[in-house]
């Protein structure tokens, strides 16, 4: 998968905080009983903070490439969103948000169990922000 400045997103592993990314419930399968046709994505949010540092070039060119390489065919399209401001002009709620299409939840979960620690270890190379991540259902 080719990553470009327009194609990349911030939502990685289905975890709620970087410190808890390795716990089993965060990569557990959806037990909601939804149909097999339900689509999911990983969403990763980097909350705004006054001293935020975020290297978008590293994130796009190295971190998301690492994610794509480690997770292989379990993931698809990635989109990175850079927060600019809220409607009232105040700082954005999130500096960056990522969405990653999950093509196979089973394969994604297997990859997460094996590789999530490598991705977490890479976070300090591009930001000082503690991300929050979750698995989301795509409704449209």
């Amino acid at each position: 998968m080719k990553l470009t400045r327009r194609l990349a997103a911030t939502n990685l592993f289905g975890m709620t905080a970087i410190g808890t990314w390795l716990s089993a419930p965060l990569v557990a399968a959806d037990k909601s009983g939804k149909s097999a046709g339900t689509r999911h994505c990983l969403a990763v949010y980097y909350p705004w903070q006054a001293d935020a540092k975020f290297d978008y070039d590293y994130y796009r060119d190295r971190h998301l490439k690492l994610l794509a390489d480690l997770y292989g065919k379990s993931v698809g399209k990635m989109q990175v969103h850079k927060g600019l401001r809220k409607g009232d002009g105040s700082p954005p709620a999130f500096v960056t948000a990522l969405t990653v299409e999950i093509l196979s939840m089973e394969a994604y979960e297997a990859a997460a169990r094996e590789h999530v620690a490598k991705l977490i270890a890479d976070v300090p190379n591009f930001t000082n922000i503690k991300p929050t991540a979750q698995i989301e259902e795509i409704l449209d």
Side-chain angles (χ1 to χ4, degrees), residues 4 9 12 19 21 25 29 38 41 43 45 55 86 89 93 115 126 139:
T4 66
L12 299 176
W21 278 1
T38 302
C41 69
Y45 300 98
D55 183 339
K86 293 181 185 170
H115 300 300
F126 60 87
L139 298 177

PDB file of all heavy atoms in Angstrom, residues 4 9 12 19 21 25 29 38 41 43 45 55 86 89 93 115 126 139:
ATOM      1  N   THR A   4       0.737   8.354   0.943  1.00  0.00           N
ATOM      2  CA  THR A   4       1.038   9.692   0.450  1.00  0.00           C
ATOM      3  C   THR A   4       0.640  10.684   1.527  1.00  0.00           C
ATOM      4  O   THR A   4       0.043  10.317   2.536  1.00  0.00           O
ATOM      5  CB  THR A   4       0.245  10.002  -0.830  1.00  0.00           C
ATOM      6  OG1 THR A   4      -1.133  10.045  -0.499  1.00  0.00           O
ATOM      7  CG2 THR A   4       0.498   8.961  -1.901  1.00  0.00           C
ATOM      8  N   ALA A   9      -3.718   7.874   8.069  1.00  0.00           N
ATOM      9  CA  ALA A   9      -4.646   8.266   9.103  1.00  0.00           C
ATOM     10  C   ALA A   9      -4.116   7.969  10.485  1.00  0.00           C
ATOM     11  O   ALA A   9      -3.232   7.158  10.631  1.00  0.00           O
ATOM     12  CB  ALA A   9      -5.981   7.578   8.888  1.00  0.00           C
ATOM     13  N   LEU A  12      -4.648   3.539  15.398  1.00  0.00           N
ATOM     14  CA  LEU A  12      -3.816   2.392  15.130  1.00  0.00           C
ATOM     15  C   LEU A  12      -4.264   1.047  15.676  1.00  0.00           C
ATOM     16  O   LEU A  12      -4.368   0.116  14.927  1.00  0.00           O
ATOM     17  CB  LEU A  12      -2.396   2.645  15.624  1.00  0.00           C
ATOM     18  CG  LEU A  12      -1.723   3.805  14.973  1.00  0.00           C
ATOM     19  CD1 LEU A  12      -0.360   4.032  15.587  1.00  0.00           C
ATOM     20  CD2 LEU A  12      -1.597   3.634  13.507  1.00  0.00           C
ATOM     21  N   GLY A  19      -0.400   3.067  27.415  1.00  0.00           N
ATOM     22  CA  GLY A  19       0.041   2.186  28.484  1.00  0.00           C
ATOM     23  C   GLY A  19      -0.742   0.892  28.564  1.00  0.00           C
ATOM     24  O   GLY A  19      -0.294  -0.053  29.198  1.00  0.00           O
ATOM     25  N   TRP A  21      -2.097  -0.722  25.701  1.00  0.00           N
ATOM     26  CA  TRP A  21      -2.237  -1.319  24.377  1.00  0.00           C
ATOM     27  C   TRP A  21      -1.988  -2.810  24.358  1.00  0.00           C
ATOM     28  O   TRP A  21      -2.472  -3.503  23.493  1.00  0.00           O
ATOM     29  CB  TRP A  21      -1.287  -0.660  23.411  1.00  0.00           C
ATOM     30  CG  TRP A  21      -1.811   0.624  22.877  1.00  0.00           C
ATOM     31  CD1 TRP A  21      -2.996   1.223  23.184  1.00  0.00           C
ATOM     32  CD2 TRP A  21      -1.184   1.472  21.949  1.00  0.00           C
ATOM     33  NE1 TRP A  21      -3.128   2.382  22.500  1.00  0.00           N
ATOM     34  CE2 TRP A  21      -2.039   2.558  21.739  1.00  0.00           C
ATOM     35  CE3 TRP A  21       0.012   1.414  21.275  1.00  0.00           C
ATOM     36  CZ2 TRP A  21      -1.716   3.583  20.867  1.00  0.00           C
ATOM     37  CZ3 TRP A  21       0.321   2.441  20.419  1.00  0.00           C
ATOM     38  CH2 TRP A  21      -0.531   3.513  20.219  1.00  0.00           C
ATOM     39  N   PRO A  25      -7.953  -7.544  26.303  1.00  0.00           N
ATOM     40  CA  PRO A  25      -9.269  -7.068  25.898  1.00  0.00           C
ATOM     41  C   PRO A  25      -9.234  -6.017  24.797  1.00  0.00           C
ATOM     42  O   PRO A  25     -10.194  -5.837  24.083  1.00  0.00           O
ATOM     43  CB  PRO A  25      -9.854  -6.477  27.179  1.00  0.00           C
ATOM     44  CG  PRO A  25      -9.108  -7.142  28.280  1.00  0.00           C
ATOM     45  CD  PRO A  25      -7.734  -7.408  27.731  1.00  0.00           C
ATOM     46  N   ALA A  29     -11.827  -9.868  19.803  1.00  0.00           N
ATOM     47  CA  ALA A  29     -12.787  -9.801  18.696  1.00  0.00           C
ATOM     48  C   ALA A  29     -14.088  -9.168  19.141  1.00  0.00           C
ATOM     49  O   ALA A  29     -14.453  -9.198  20.305  1.00  0.00           O
ATOM     50  CB  ALA A  29     -13.057 -11.218  18.184  1.00  0.00           C
ATOM     51  N   THR A  38     -20.194  -6.397   8.651  1.00  0.00           N
ATOM     52  CA  THR A  38     -19.867  -5.181   9.387  1.00  0.00           C
ATOM     53  C   THR A  38     -18.419  -4.786   9.103  1.00  0.00           C
ATOM     54  O   THR A  38     -17.530  -5.620   9.136  1.00  0.00           O
ATOM     55  CB  THR A  38     -20.061  -5.399  10.904  1.00  0.00           C
ATOM     56  OG1 THR A  38     -21.401  -5.787  11.137  1.00  0.00           O
ATOM     57  CG2 THR A  38     -19.751  -4.145  11.684  1.00  0.00           C
ATOM     58  N   CYS A  41     -12.741  -0.055  11.560  1.00  0.00           N
ATOM     59  CA  CYS A  41     -11.471   0.636  11.373  1.00  0.00           C
ATOM     60  C   CYS A  41     -10.839   0.849  12.743  1.00  0.00           C
ATOM     61  O   CYS A  41     -11.507   0.801  13.774  1.00  0.00           O
ATOM     62  CB  CYS A  41     -11.643   1.973  10.655  1.00  0.00           C
ATOM     63  SG  CYS A  41     -12.482   3.240  11.619  1.00  0.00           S
ATOM     64  N   ALA A  43      -9.080   3.609  14.959  1.00  0.00           N
ATOM     65  CA  ALA A  43      -8.990   5.062  15.054  1.00  0.00           C
ATOM     66  C   ALA A  43      -8.001   5.399  16.167  1.00  0.00           C
ATOM     67  O   ALA A  43      -8.086   4.841  17.260  1.00  0.00           O
ATOM     68  CB  ALA A  43     -10.352   5.666  15.340  1.00  0.00           C
ATOM     69  N   TYR A  45      -6.229   8.697  18.179  1.00  0.00           N
ATOM     70  CA  TYR A  45      -6.348  10.131  18.417  1.00  0.00           C
ATOM     71  C   TYR A  45      -5.180  10.617  19.271  1.00  0.00           C
ATOM     72  O   TYR A  45      -4.836  10.003  20.279  1.00  0.00           O
ATOM     73  CB  TYR A  45      -7.668  10.444  19.133  1.00  0.00           C
ATOM     74  CG  TYR A  45      -8.864  10.004  18.327  1.00  0.00           C
ATOM     75  CD1 TYR A  45      -9.499   8.791  18.588  1.00  0.00           C
ATOM     76  CD2 TYR A  45      -9.352  10.791  17.285  1.00  0.00           C
ATOM     77  CE1 TYR A  45     -10.586   8.383  17.836  1.00  0.00           C
ATOM     78  CE2 TYR A  45     -10.437  10.380  16.530  1.00  0.00           C
ATOM     79  CZ  TYR A  45     -11.055   9.174  16.809  1.00  0.00           C
ATOM     80  OH  TYR A  45     -12.121   8.750  16.062  1.00  0.00           O
ATOM     81  N   ASP A  55       5.848  14.951  14.383  1.00  0.00           N
ATOM     82  CA  ASP A  55       6.605  14.933  13.133  1.00  0.00           C
ATOM     83  C   ASP A  55       5.777  14.170  12.095  1.00  0.00           C
ATOM     84  O   ASP A  55       5.801  12.942  12.036  1.00  0.00           O
ATOM     85  CB  ASP A  55       7.955  14.258  13.365  1.00  0.00           C
ATOM     86  CG  ASP A  55       8.850  14.246  12.131  1.00  0.00           C
ATOM     87  OD1 ASP A  55       8.333  14.394  10.996  1.00  0.00           O
ATOM     88  OD2 ASP A  55      10.076  14.073  12.315  1.00  0.00           O
ATOM     89  N   LYS A  86     -10.839  24.464  16.576  1.00  0.00           N
ATOM     90  CA  LYS A  86     -12.269  24.228  16.800  1.00  0.00           C
ATOM     91  C   LYS A  86     -13.048  25.315  16.070  1.00  0.00           C
ATOM     92  O   LYS A  86     -12.475  26.293  15.588  1.00  0.00           O
ATOM     93  CB  LYS A  86     -12.585  24.274  18.295  1.00  0.00           C
ATOM     94  CG  LYS A  86     -11.975  23.133  19.081  1.00  0.00           C
ATOM     95  CD  LYS A  86     -12.353  23.256  20.548  1.00  0.00           C
ATOM     96  CE  LYS A  86     -11.659  22.207  21.370  1.00  0.00           C
ATOM     97  NZ  LYS A  86     -11.819  22.445  22.811  1.00  0.00           N
ATOM     98  N   GLY A  89     -12.379  28.860  16.958  1.00  0.00           N
ATOM     99  CA  GLY A  89     -11.022  29.361  16.753  1.00  0.00           C
ATOM    100  C   GLY A  89     -10.022  28.897  17.796  1.00  0.00           C
ATOM    101  O   GLY A  89      -8.824  29.147  17.654  1.00  0.00           O
ATOM    102  N   ALA A  93      -9.213  19.857  19.383  1.00  0.00           N
ATOM    103  CA  ALA A  93      -9.287  18.817  20.417  1.00  0.00           C
ATOM    104  C   ALA A  93      -8.176  17.799  20.209  1.00  0.00           C
ATOM    105  O   ALA A  93      -7.632  17.256  21.165  1.00  0.00           O
ATOM    106  CB  ALA A  93     -10.654  18.136  20.377  1.00  0.00           C
ATOM    107  N   HIS A 115       2.666  -7.733  17.015  1.00  0.00           N
ATOM    108  CA  HIS A 115       3.451  -6.559  16.616  1.00  0.00           C
ATOM    109  C   HIS A 115       3.150  -5.251  17.331  1.00  0.00           C
ATOM    110  O   HIS A 115       3.877  -4.275  17.134  1.00  0.00           O
ATOM    111  CB  HIS A 115       3.272  -6.323  15.113  1.00  0.00           C
ATOM    112  CG  HIS A 115       3.712  -7.463  14.275  1.00  0.00           C
ATOM    113  ND1 HIS A 115       5.000  -7.951  14.269  1.00  0.00           N
ATOM    114  CD2 HIS A 115       3.006  -8.238  13.394  1.00  0.00           C
ATOM    115  CE1 HIS A 115       5.094  -8.960  13.432  1.00  0.00           C
ATOM    116  NE2 HIS A 115       3.895  -9.162  12.885  1.00  0.00           N
ATOM    117  N   PHE A 126       8.139  10.224  16.990  1.00  0.00           N
ATOM    118  CA  PHE A 126       7.430  11.253  16.222  1.00  0.00           C
ATOM    119  C   PHE A 126       6.545  12.167  17.058  1.00  0.00           C
ATOM    120  O   PHE A 126       6.083  13.186  16.566  1.00  0.00           O
ATOM    121  CB  PHE A 126       6.603  10.637  15.081  1.00  0.00           C
ATOM    122  CG  PHE A 126       5.537   9.672  15.514  1.00  0.00           C
ATOM    123  CD1 PHE A 126       4.267  10.104  15.857  1.00  0.00           C
ATOM    124  CD2 PHE A 126       5.812   8.316  15.582  1.00  0.00           C
ATOM    125  CE1 PHE A 126       3.284   9.212  16.253  1.00  0.00           C
ATOM    126  CE2 PHE A 126       4.840   7.408  15.971  1.00  0.00           C
ATOM    127  CZ  PHE A 126       3.577   7.857  16.310  1.00  0.00           C
ATOM    128  N   LEU A 139     -20.220   3.039   9.598  1.00  0.00           N
ATOM    129  CA  LEU A 139     -21.660   2.991   9.387  1.00  0.00           C
ATOM    130  C   LEU A 139     -22.087   3.326   7.973  1.00  0.00           C
ATOM    131  O   LEU A 139     -23.191   2.987   7.577  1.00  0.00           O
ATOM    132  CB  LEU A 139     -22.362   3.938  10.367  1.00  0.00           C
ATOM    133  CG  LEU A 139     -22.161   3.580  11.852  1.00  0.00           C
ATOM    134  CD1 LEU A 139     -22.839   4.615  12.719  1.00  0.00           C
ATOM    135  CD2 LEU A 139     -22.660   2.180  12.146  1.00  0.00           C
TER     136      LEU A 139
END
